[in-house]
Amino acid sequence: MEISSNQQIDFIAYTQRLLVEGEFNATYKYALLHALADICIETPLMDDPKHQLKIPLSTIVEKFIAIYWQHALPFNSVENNMNTLLHQNVGKQSVIITELSRCHNLNIKNINKLKQSDNWNAIYKSTLRVIKEGPLWRLQLLAKKEDCFLYAHNKGASFITLNAGIAYCFRRFYELVTQVSRNAWIGKIQSIPANQQIIGKQSQLDPFLFGINRQAITKAKPVLEEIQKGKCFYCQKSLTTKTEVDHFIPFAKYSNDLGHNFVVAHSSCNNNKRDYLAAFEHRDRWFEQNIINHQKSIDDELNSYFNCDAKRSEAVTSWAYQVALKNKAQFWLAKGHFESAEHESTLS
Ligand SMILES: [Zn+2]
């Protein structure tokens, strides 16, 4: 059973309506939309496009905390010489930001450390409360009317179930949905009066809210250099001083740092690859290297800094290649060389 083109267009149209007709006092609804999209691609491939994905609220809670973690750091405006939290709510600061900021102040370095700390239970509970009281049953209020296109409102349950075809559409249009929700999210933060003084005119919000954590990524470099025995992942020649950690599935396509998604490469190879997916032979080598042969050492070495979940990384990689094949994308092979989907008949 395929999802018809009409259904796919309805999904895009609904997403657009949601962003225009929904009411957004806080940024929670953008986070929910983003979270649902993330969860759909992080879940292993479903054979049936009409599969009605069941998502436990606990999964949404964890996703929310991960999304807001970086947002709860003080924003540093060079222009205004201020270093303070951005408001994510028109009135009082949002509960999640306040609580996560408290954890940053306790010097908790990342989500994994947070999960292991005494603070986790309280944060989990208050985030769950926020989600249930706010975005979960309000996201689908369009022009004040309930329109449950994405999932039914079953308020007593500990999960939501996406309607037939919705998970498929989130996978197919992941980049579009996350891009528009981020843009709207940034617009919302800029429009909150209390933020305008903090942000000033020239500050870039995108890298602060959704950017790469470069400091953490440096931790991955020595680990991968060892795994790759000093060779560039792509061209297989010896690494030089100009070496970078590359997101195998490009950060522009999926902007969460997963421990198993890193490889190390010449800066020149990395820059040439840009936001393309790598060719299939690279994908197979990535799988062999990071999932089959070195899954555990990556877990052990990087778990304190990144989400190390090989299953999730595998799911995201299959998703990325599946959608790229559908879209007839070009795949990067080497400097200036690309291949198209015809090279690949089977897809794992
Ligand atoms: Zn290279």
Side-chain angles (χ1 to χ4, degrees), residues 232 235 266 269:
C232 170
C235 71
H266 292 120
C269 287

Side-chain angles (χ1 to χ4, degrees), residues 124-282:
Y124 181 93
K125 276 189 195 146
S126 56
T127 305
L128 179 63
R129 199 179 321 120
V130 163
I131 291 172
K132 281 175 144 178
E133 285 172 5
L136 198 59
W137 315 126
R138 291 195 192 150
L139 179 70
Q140 302 185 104
L141 288 179
L142 278 71
K144 298 190 193 298
K145 268 204 206 119
E146 240 176 44
D147 182 351
C148 297
F149 182 82
L150 303 174
Y151 52 89
H153 285 175
N154 183 1
K155 296 186 182 174
S158 61
F159 56 86
I160 57 167
T161 305
L162 297 185
N163 295 330
I166 297 299
Y168 174 93
C169 289
F170 269 124
R171 291 170 69 87
R172 179 92 209 255
F173 302 113
Y174 176 80
E175 287 170 69
L176 190 73
V177 171
T178 52
Q179 208 55 56
V180 293
S181 74
R182 282 172 185 205
N183 285 342
W185 191 336
I186 291 171
K188 180 78 222 171
I189 289 181
Q190 283 168 330
S191 77
I192 295 174
N195 285 336
Q196 284 162 3
Q197 215 193 346
I198 304 170
I199 301 167
K201 288 191 182 70
Q202 282 144 28
S203 300
Q204 292 289 316
L205 279 187
D206 199 334
F208 172 73
L209 297 170
F210 304 110
I212 296 178
N213 181 349
R214 299 205 182 269
Q215 216 182 352
I217 281 184
T218 55
K219 307 284 183 195
K221 205 168 164 182
V223 177
L224 288 155
E225 282 173 344
E226 196 182 323
I227 287 174
Q228 293 173 206
K229 299 193 173 70
K231 296 217 164 71
C232 170
F233 180 80
Y234 293 106
C235 71
Q236 305 287 307
K237 291 182 187 140
S238 292
L239 289 167
T240 55
T241 47
K242 288 185 176 166
T243 296
E244 285 170 9
V245 174
D246 174 56
H247 289 82
F248 183 69
I249 300 301
F251 196 79
K253 293 198 190 298
Y254 172 76
S255 50
N256 295 290
D257 283 328
L258 297 180
H260 295 88
N261 189 40
F262 299 124
V263 295
V264 67
H266 292 120
S267 304
S268 56
C269 287
N270 187 24
N271 291 336
N272 196 260
K273 177 182 170 242
R274 298 195 353 229
D275 296 337
Y276 286 97
L277 282 184
F280 298 97
E281 59 179 76
H282 297 310

Side-chain angles (χ1 to χ4, degrees), residues 2-202:
E2 272 296 308
I3 303 297
S4 73
S5 306
N6 275 345
Q7 277 175 289
Q8 297 185 41
I9 291 167
D10 286 347
F11 174 85
I12 294 174
Y14 182 84
T15 307
Q16 293 186 151
R17 277 191 61 203
L18 195 141
L19 292 167
V20 174
E21 297 177 25
E23 279 177 26
F24 295 84
N25 291 319
T27 59
Y28 292 145
K29 287 197 214 170
Y30 305 116
L32 180 58
L33 192 62
H34 206 302
L36 294 177
D38 276 357
I39 291 164
C40 286
I41 70 163
E42 291 166 353
T43 306
L45 200 61
M46 297 146 288
D47 287 336
D48 175 11
K50 296 208 167 158
H51 177 76
Q52 292 176 269
L53 186 66
K54 188 169 154 181
I55 305 175
L57 299 189
S58 57
T59 306
I60 299 177
V61 169
E62 291 200 18
K63 201 74 221 178
F64 254 66
I65 294 172
I67 289 176
Y68 277 111
W69 178 248
Q70 192 159 327
H71 294 203
L73 285 165
F75 177 76
N76 193 341
S77 164
V78 182
E79 185 188 339
N80 293 343
N81 197 20
M82 286 173 95
N83 200 24
T84 181
L85 291 176
L86 291 174
H87 292 258
Q88 299 254 358
N89 200 334
V90 173
K92 208 166 147 245
Q93 177 63 288
S94 78
V95 177
I96 299 179
I97 293 289
T98 306
E99 299 235 343
L100 292 180
S101 158
R102 197 171 50 78
C103 295
H104 282 299
N105 290 337
L106 291 170
N107 213 15
I108 298 173
K109 296 281 187 209
N110 57 55
I111 305 275
N112 290 349
K113 295 262 158 65
L114 175 60
K115 270 190 185 173
Q116 292 156 9
S117 77
D118 300 339
N119 301 281
W120 179 252
N121 271 343
I123 288 191
Y124 181 93
K125 276 189 195 146
S126 56
T127 305
L128 179 63
R129 199 179 321 120
V130 163
I131 291 172
K132 281 175 144 178
E133 285 172 5
L136 198 59
W137 315 126
R138 291 195 192 150
L139 179 70
Q140 302 185 104
L141 288 179
L142 278 71
K144 298 190 193 298
K145 268 204 206 119
E146 240 176 44
D147 182 351
C148 297
F149 182 82
L150 303 174
Y151 52 89
H153 285 175
N154 183 1
K155 296 186 182 174
S158 61
F159 56 86
I160 57 167
T161 305
L162 297 185
N163 295 330
I166 297 299
Y168 174 93
C169 289
F170 269 124
R171 291 170 69 87
R172 179 92 209 255
F173 302 113
Y174 176 80
E175 287 170 69
L176 190 73
V177 171
T178 52
Q179 208 55 56
V180 293
S181 74
R182 282 172 185 205
N183 285 342
W185 191 336
I186 291 171
K188 180 78 222 171
I189 289 181
Q190 283 168 330
S191 77
I192 295 174
N195 285 336
Q196 284 162 3
Q197 215 193 346
I198 304 170
I199 301 167
K201 288 191 182 70
Q202 282 144 28

